Amino acid sequence: MLAVAQLTCQRGARTLFSGLSFTLPERQWIQIQGANGAGKTTLLRVLAGLVQPQEGTLTWQGLAVQECRAEWQRALLYLGHHAALKEELTPLENLRFSLGLEAMPADEAVLMNALHRFGLQEREHLPVRYLSAGQRRRVLLARLLIRPAQVWILDEPYTALDVHATQFLSAVIEDHLEQGGSAILTSHQTLGLRPGMSIAL
Amino acid sequence: MMTGFWTSMRRDLVLATRHKSEWLTALFFFVMVTNLLPLGVGPEVSLLRKIAPGVLWIGALLSTLLGLQRLFSSDHGDGTLEQMALSPVPLAWLVAGKMVTHWLVCGLPVVLMAPLLGIQFDLPTRSLGILVLSLLLGTPILSAVGALGAALTLGLRGGGALLSLLILPLYIPALIFGAGAVEADLAGISPQGHLSLLGALLVLSVFFSPWVTSLALRIALE
């Protein structure tokens, strides 16, 4: 369980949010809502540990994340709005390296299967440079299927996806929740997900 | 931990093979700078011999600087750096992998090319050996210290110029002892002292640089 207490974050002179508290139990998901520039991405980056908050604490399974950083990083999967893909590499290579950088085993068949499930048949060996925005997004999202994690932190995961992929992504998230995981996402669409909590910034 | 290090290294090597122009430019730059000088100075053997160590070392220094700018900026731009910072593998190990690749791609070719270029300065065979040895010890220092500069200037506008201003002064010790070793040998003195000091600098920079660089990268990501 992830617990957040009295979180305050300032960027320059502007306070993005202050006194923010919530808990994220297993099998639950939170939708972060807010206008453009309200600080949704910053909140996700604070939760992932990329940005230090001015005040407040983050606890994971009862421990402050500063004390269990490695466990928290293993438990979380953060997908930002950058694609985090190398244009020169193929989708398969991108996935393999992304797992390797986290010292996780990369089984070729598992990676292929993940790409196929996201509808990237016959694109596995094509440099990412030649893929469309939606296809790149799918390559990134394929990490959801191969990188085990309890908490998913997703920044606008539905961006650039077509109807079919949107439905599939919702099914993947639903599956993750079903298996005891949890998720935090910023999105303007929430198609086909069970009712979740919502936080407005 | 080692898996992370090897992956980070292999990944950059694969990228370098797909982006040949980048490191070939650096090597070509090295060859051109060291080639133009004898043409400009004139064919006087004693003078050429005298300036050879300095010219070859300055060439090596400037050419490694070329590859440094992109060391972290492309990973920063596409979000890979964020994923690296979130990896359970310590960021310093991933950074170390990138440094090693930078040396393999920008440093090692210079080391291998240097004796060939030394011939046109009429360096004796023994001095050529010392030159290679000094570059072998010295170029990893350039990669390690340079990576720190690249991390500190990450995300700044006009970071390239700032990087040179920041890094070149830090390269001075390596330049002095590296070129000094060859000069000493040319003068008939043992170059061992220079080489030992260069080795000490190497150990120091390779040991601390990944760690300090990873701290600088975390600040850049905030």
Side-chain angles (χ1 to χ4, degrees):
Chain A
M1 189 174 86
L2 176 72
V4 170
Q6 297 300 321
L7 209 61
T8 297
C9 188
Q10 292 170 330
R11 293 252 109 170
R14 222 162 70 85
T15 306
L16 290 173
F17 45 85
S18 65
L20 189 66
S21 303
F22 62 87
T23 55
L24 179 63
E26 287 169 9
R27 294 168 198 276
Q28 286 286 336
W29 70 282
I30 295 178
Q31 181 178 18
I32 316 258
Q33 287 169 323
N36 298 132
K40 299 189 291 290
T41 297
T42 308
L43 175 58
L44 294 191
R45 287 168 59 89
V46 169
L47 295 178
L50 286 168
V51 175
Q52 295 305 316
Q54 265 72 30
E55 276 172 51
T57 51
L58 244 75
T59 38
W60 168 242
Q61 311 289 35
L63 278 174
V65 291
Q66 289 87 350
E67 291 163 34
C68 61
R69 185 156 295 281
E71 284 82 16
W72 171 231
Q73 285 178 339
R74 244 186 298 275
L76 94 104
L77 177 56
Y78 169 81
L79 300 183
H81 55 169
H82 286 302
L85 300 172
K86 279 275 167 279
E87 303 222 312
E88 301 86 352
L89 302 179
T90 68
L92 197 60
E93 287 169 324
N94 267 302
L95 289 184
R96 199 186 298 134
F97 283 131
S98 75
L99 282 176
L101 289 175
E102 304 198 73
M104 299 208 174
D107 181 29
E108 185 102 6
V110 174
L111 301 188
M112 287 293 236
N113 183 36
L115 287 172
H116 290 176
R117 284 182 66 193
F118 264 100
L120 290 162
Q121 286 91 347
E122 292 165 33
R123 302 283 189 281
E124 310 94 335
H125 299 294
L126 201 66
V128 167
R129 184 174 348 126
Y130 300 115
L131 300 184
S132 74
Q135 285 173 324
R136 288 173 197 215
R137 200 70 208 169
R138 292 175 191 219
V139 178
L140 177 70
L141 290 169
R143 292 190 59 195
L144 295 174
L145 300 174
I146 54 170
R147 159 59 159 96
Q150 281 121 294
V151 181
W152 288 357
I153 299 181
L154 310 176
D155 198 354
E156 302 283 356
Y158 291 97
T159 311
L161 294 184
D162 61 23
V163 180
H164 185 70
T166 305
Q167 281 167 355
F168 181 66
L169 177 58
S170 290
V172 168
I173 296 176
E174 189 64 39
D175 228 32
H176 171 65
L177 299 175
E178 202 62 50
Q179 287 166 13
S182 48
I184 303 175
L185 45 103
T186 61
S187 177
H188 302 289
Q189 317 152 265
T190 45
L191 295 159
L193 281 177
R194 64 172 77 180
M197 294 180 275
S198 132
I199 291 173
L201 289 184
Chain B
M1 213 147 61
M2 283 326 266
T3 324
F5 171 77
W6 287 116
T7 310
S8 151
M9 199 179 128
R10 273 225 334 273
R11 177 170 164 279
D12 276 23
L13 273 177
V14 170
L15 287 171
T17 56
R18 311 252 160 111
H19 245 306
K20 289 194 191 65
S21 66
E22 210 168 290
W23 56 275
L24 281 176
T25 310
L27 186 63
F28 187 69
F29 179 80
F30 175 63
V31 172
M32 282 321 286
V33 165
T34 45
N35 256 322
L36 288 176
L37 232 111
L39 293 175
V41 168
E44 200 192 320
V45 175
S46 63
L47 180 67
L48 284 180
R49 259 195 213 181
K50 210 166 156 55
I51 61 169
V55 169
L56 288 164
W57 255 89
I58 290 172
L61 221 116
L62 294 177
S63 75
T64 44
L65 209 56
L66 283 180
L68 275 176
Q69 249 188 80
R70 274 184 54 89
L71 186 58
F72 298 116
S73 66
S74 85
D75 282 343
H76 183 52
D78 65 22
T80 315
L81 204 58
E82 275 181 358
Q83 295 295 335
M84 285 178 159
L86 290 176
S87 164
V89 180
L91 184 57
W93 280 99
L94 303 179
V95 168
K98 289 180 78 72
M99 280 179 196
V100 171
T101 303
H102 178 263
W103 179 74
L104 286 174
V105 168
C106 289
L108 193 59
V110 165
V111 177
L112 297 176
M113 207 65 180
L116 261 179
L117 296 166
I119 292 173
Q120 64 179 353
F121 290 92
D122 195 42
L123 284 181
T125 321
R126 230 177 70 93
S127 299
L128 285 178
I130 300 295
L131 175 70
V132 170
L133 199 60
S134 74
L135 283 171
L136 207 56
L137 288 170
T139 43
I141 303 176
L142 305 183
S143 293
V145 174
L148 175 60
L152 285 172
T153 54
L154 191 62
L156 299 182
R157 249 177 298 162
L162 196 60
L163 176 65
S164 324
L165 285 175
L166 195 70
I167 285 307
L168 285 175
L170 295 175
Y171 278 175
I172 291 174
L175 173 68
I176 290 175
F177 295 121
V182 187
E183 274 158 18
D185 187 68
L186 280 171
I189 315 165
S190 162
Q192 208 188 344
H194 289 99
L195 291 177
S196 303
L197 279 166
L198 210 55
L201 281 176
L202 171 67
V203 172
L204 206 69
S205 57
V206 168
F207 187 76
F208 283 110
S209 174
W211 178 61
V212 184
T213 305
S214 70
L215 292 181
L217 288 176
R218 283 196 193 279
I219 293 170
L221 279 175
E222 273 214 5

